[in-house]
Amino acid sequence: MRKSTFAVAVLLLVGIAWLGLQGNSPRAADAKPAVQKWEYQKISWSVTSEGDTLNQLGDKGWEMCGVVPGAAYTTLIFKRPKQ
């Protein structure tokens, strides 16, 4: 009786351990994240340029990401997620 109880207990523990090790990995971890793609725009900016242009670009989702100064004008570089 003792041997059979011990054998059942061992089999039960082995079964529980096996089920615990067989856990499903989360599907999100298996999937590769999508690569963000960007589109860019550049504009020439001088002292006489209107500020509304920048507000309009911002309203359309453009974000300034770079400035290239020049003698006559400055080039502003904008980016936004590709649409």
Side-chain angles (χ1 to χ4, degrees):
M1 180 78 164
R2 235 189 219 184
K3 288 183 182 181
S4 63
T5 304
F6 179 73
V8 169
V10 168
L11 285 175
L12 185 60
L13 287 173
V14 168
I16 291 171
W18 182 77
L19 288 174
L21 294 175
Q22 295 299 317
N24 293 334
S25 62
R27 296 288 177 216
D30 295 340
K32 293 187 178 187
V35 175
Q36 176 67 58
K37 295 187 178 187
W38 300 94
E39 57 182 333
Y40 296 89
Q41 179 175 346
K42 63 180 184 173
I43 63 169
S44 298
W45 188 263
S46 67
V47 178
T48 60
S49 297
E50 295 290 325
D52 290 339
T53 304
L54 297 178
N55 289 329
Q56 291 167 355
L57 286 170
D59 290 341
K60 293 178 183 177
W62 292 99
E63 176 181 336
M64 187 167 51
C65 64
V67 177
V68 182
Y73 59 88
T74 299
T75 301
L76 305 177
I77 304 169
F78 295 84
K79 73 174 184 176
R80 71 177 175 187
K82 194 164 189 167
Q83 299 177 347

